[in-house]
């Protein structure tokens, strides 16, 4: 695998723009990678209420060019080579929020917002198994130690 990865994080006060861009190629045909991959995050990062509430809120953008992907077989739990369906270019946009109040942490992530803009196109990461339409994930942790 040959990769050229460019990464640059920019900060404008409380706003951040983290960028990763990759060009990649594999010398073997059974290793399937997109030739171009990018991930960009734009977010607000600050503390509120006299440094009691730490908050990050932002968007992620991920994309790759069209490539021959893999098929995931749920029966065997393994990925297999797939030549009939290509993984097409389709940008994925996520909205997310994380907070921390002393020992409490929480997050919320609304994934695949870009599918709301294009109702007739699905976002695939493996052949024949599209990611769900906009999907909400959330979680929290609370350390009960002194």
């Amino acid at each position: 695998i040959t990769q050229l990865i460019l990464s640059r994080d920019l900060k404008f006060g409380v706003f951040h723009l983290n960028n990763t861009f990759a060009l990649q190629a594999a010398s073997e045909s059974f290793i399937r990678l997109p030739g171009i991959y990018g991930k960009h995050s734009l977010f607000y990062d600050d503390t509120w209420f006299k440094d009691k509430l730490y908050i990050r809120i932002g968007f992620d953008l991920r994309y790759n060019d069209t490539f021959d992907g893999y098929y995931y077989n749920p029966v065997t739990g393994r990925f297999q080579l797939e030549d009939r369906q290509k993984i097409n270019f389709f940008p994925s946009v996520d909205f997310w929020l994380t907070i921390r109040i002393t020992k409490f942490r929480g997050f919320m992530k609304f994934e695949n917002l870009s599918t709301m803009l294009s109702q007739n196109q699905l976002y695939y990461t493996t052949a024949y198994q599209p990611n769900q339409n906009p999907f909400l994930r959330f979680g929290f942790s609370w350390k009960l130690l002194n």
Side-chain angles (χ1 to χ4, degrees), residues 71-113:
Y71 166 72
Y72 179 73
N73 188 336
V75 175
T76 61
R78 296 179 189 236
F79 287 93
Q80 301 171 352
L81 295 178
E82 168 57 41
D83 293 325
R84 291 176 290 182
Q85 182 182 12
K86 291 189 177 290
I87 307 299
N88 292 322
F89 170 81
F90 188 73
S92 176
V93 177
D94 303 335
F95 169 77
W96 53 269
L97 166 73
T98 62
I99 61 168
R100 184 180 74 222
I101 304 171
T102 59
K103 295 179 183 182
F104 175 83
R105 295 172 186 250
F107 79 90
M108 179 204 64
K109 187 173 188 181
F110 198 50
E111 299 179 339
N112 297 332
L113 290 175

Side-chain angles (χ1 to χ4, degrees), residues 26-125:
S27 60
E28 300 291 335
S29 62
F30 62 87
I31 300 174
R32 298 184 171 180
L33 301 169
I36 298 171
Y37 172 79
K39 181 180 180 196
H40 309 281
S41 296
L42 175 64
F43 60 95
Y44 169 85
D45 182 10
D46 200 10
T47 55
W48 294 353
F49 306 112
K50 299 181 183 178
D51 296 336
K52 298 293 183 191
L53 172 65
Y54 173 75
I55 186 166
R56 274 189 175 181
I57 186 168
F59 290 92
D60 288 342
L61 167 68
R62 289 182 314 281
Y63 58 89
N64 53 268
D65 66 340
T66 301
F67 70 103
D68 290 323
Y70 293 97
Y71 166 72
Y72 179 73
N73 188 336
V75 175
T76 61
R78 296 179 189 236
F79 287 93
Q80 301 171 352
L81 295 178
E82 168 57 41
D83 293 325
R84 291 176 290 182
Q85 182 182 12
K86 291 189 177 290
I87 307 299
N88 292 322
F89 170 81
F90 188 73
S92 176
V93 177
D94 303 335
F95 169 77
W96 53 269
L97 166 73
T98 62
I99 61 168
R100 184 180 74 222
I101 304 171
T102 59
K103 295 179 183 182
F104 175 83
R105 295 172 186 250
F107 79 90
M108 179 204 64
K109 187 173 188 181
F110 198 50
E111 299 179 339
N112 297 332
L113 290 175
S114 48
T115 57
M116 291 174 23
L117 301 174
S118 177
Q119 297 290 333
N120 59 351
Q121 187 174 3
L122 297 173
Y123 174 63
Y124 288 86
T125 54

